[in-house]
Amino acid sequence: MSSDDKLTIETPEQTVLEFGLAGIGSRSLALAIDTLLQVAVLIFAGASAGLISYAGFFPQIGKQWVYAILIFAVFLSQFGYFAFFETIWNGQTPGKRWTHLRVITDSGRPVGAQGAILRNLMRIVDSLPSLYAVGIVTSLISPQNKRVGDYVAGTVVIQERRRQDGRSLWDAPAPHLLASTQTRAITVAEIQLVEAFLERRSSFQVDVRRSIARQIAERMSQGWSVSHETLQDPEKFLEAFAEHYRSVAHFR
């Protein structure tokens, strides 16, 4: 559910996740940055196509194929650009990274390739009749500031909370504290519990934060070859746990 400018998600363990929703202003700024980069790509592609056509490079290709390739490059720049970066950068494009925004799923999980592709294919609808009019109107009437693509893909754009070291929680590297083998399966609910704690830990008092981290770490370590020394810093263990599953389970 959402209230005001926040998205609130309750996990099966009754842990509450809160995400700040990105507004139209910050999303428009991110889009403007991405659009400038797209224009730069198109200018380069157009200049290259014109040079090839005018100079007669690759005569075996023919002008019609040169322009067909240019049209394909325009399509990729318009739609593939967003899907490509949101897939490899875990829900971010260069514009979103600059403005500290990120696309996640409605359940608070990182967006996957399928969701990124689907939400960006719907830009065709969101951009109608021009200047993203449909997307803007939909965002204004949506309690979660969603455009049509977000509704179809089940995603939402959030304001990213930064760590004390200035890095994103989603991208922060974690130490390799986990053994290569495990003796039990990890459930989605457990992964969500770890992600929920890492996202909200800065809001806890120090003693409460340490206690919760230790309880979760002890639960997660069951079935893993984890030394007692590793659990002396339960937060680092949980960071490593989350990092492992973001990569292994395609959470990135």
Side-chain angles (χ1 to χ4, degrees):
M1 64 179 177
S2 61
S3 59
D4 296 328
D5 59 347
K6 289 185 178 180
L7 172 68
T8 303
I9 300 171
E10 187 172 337
T11 69
E13 290 78 16
Q14 279 136 29
T15 301
V16 177
L17 296 84
E18 286 188 351
F19 302 97
L21 293 170
I24 292 180
S26 57
R27 292 180 69 169
S28 296
L29 177 58
L31 179 61
I33 294 171
D34 287 323
T35 300
L36 288 175
L37 292 175
Q38 288 178 292
V39 170
V41 171
L42 292 177
I43 291 174
F44 176 79
S48 299
L51 180 62
I52 291 173
S53 177
Y54 177 78
F57 296 138
F58 309 111
Q60 66 276 17
I61 296 179
K63 291 185 178 181
Q64 67 274 20
W65 285 105
V66 171
Y67 292 118
I69 293 172
L70 178 60
I71 293 172
F72 182 66
V74 170
F75 175 82
L76 285 181
S77 175
Q78 181 65 26
F79 301 103
Y81 169 94
F82 293 96
F84 173 76
F85 280 110
E86 287 178 4
T87 298
I88 67 169
W89 278 1
N90 197 11
Q92 287 189 312
T93 60
K96 289 186 178 69
R97 177 164 289 193
W98 184 269
T99 53
H100 305 309
L101 304 182
R102 189 179 295 274
V103 179
I104 63 173
T105 67
D106 289 334
S107 61
R109 305 278 297 284
V111 66
Q114 181 177 353
I117 293 171
L118 186 57
R119 77 183 298 273
N120 286 297
L121 283 176
M122 295 306 297
R123 286 183 183 275
I124 299 173
V125 177
D126 281 308
S127 60
L128 295 174
S130 64
L131 300 177
Y132 281 87
V134 170
I136 291 173
V137 172
T138 306
S139 297
L140 287 173
I141 63 178
S142 166
Q144 297 176 348
N145 300 336
K146 288 189 172 192
R147 60 178 179 82
V148 175
D150 289 314
Y151 278 111
V152 173
T155 57
V156 65
V157 182
I158 62 167
Q159 297 174 343
E160 188 174 52
R161 186 180 303 174
R162 313 301 290 180
R163 288 159 46 106
Q164 291 182 347
D165 58 10
R167 292 179 299 187
S168 163
L169 168 67
W170 304 85
D171 298 327
H176 298 289
L177 301 179
L178 302 178
S180 58
T181 59
Q182 64 186 90
T183 59
R184 71 176 180 90
I186 304 299
T187 67
V188 172
E190 288 175 324
I191 298 170
Q192 289 179 328
L193 176 61
V194 173
E195 295 281 3
F197 169 75
L198 293 177
E199 178 67 25
R200 299 192 63 226
R201 58 182 167 176
S202 61
S203 64
F204 298 137
Q205 295 182 353
V206 176
D207 54 342
V208 174
R209 174 173 169 169
R210 289 175 180 169
S211 176
I212 294 176
R214 183 165 299 282
Q215 291 179 42
I216 298 176
E218 289 175 352
R219 171 177 173 176
M220 295 300 105
S221 65
Q222 296 175 9
W224 289 81
S225 300
V226 180
S227 66
H228 177 72
E229 290 74 17
T230 296
L231 292 179
Q232 290 300 308
D233 192 335
E235 286 196 42
K236 282 189 177 180
F237 170 76
L238 294 178
E239 288 174 358
F241 182 95
E243 179 76 7
H244 175 79
Y245 271 93
R246 287 175 195 154
S247 57
V248 173
H250 304 289
F251 280 7
R252 285 188 166 218

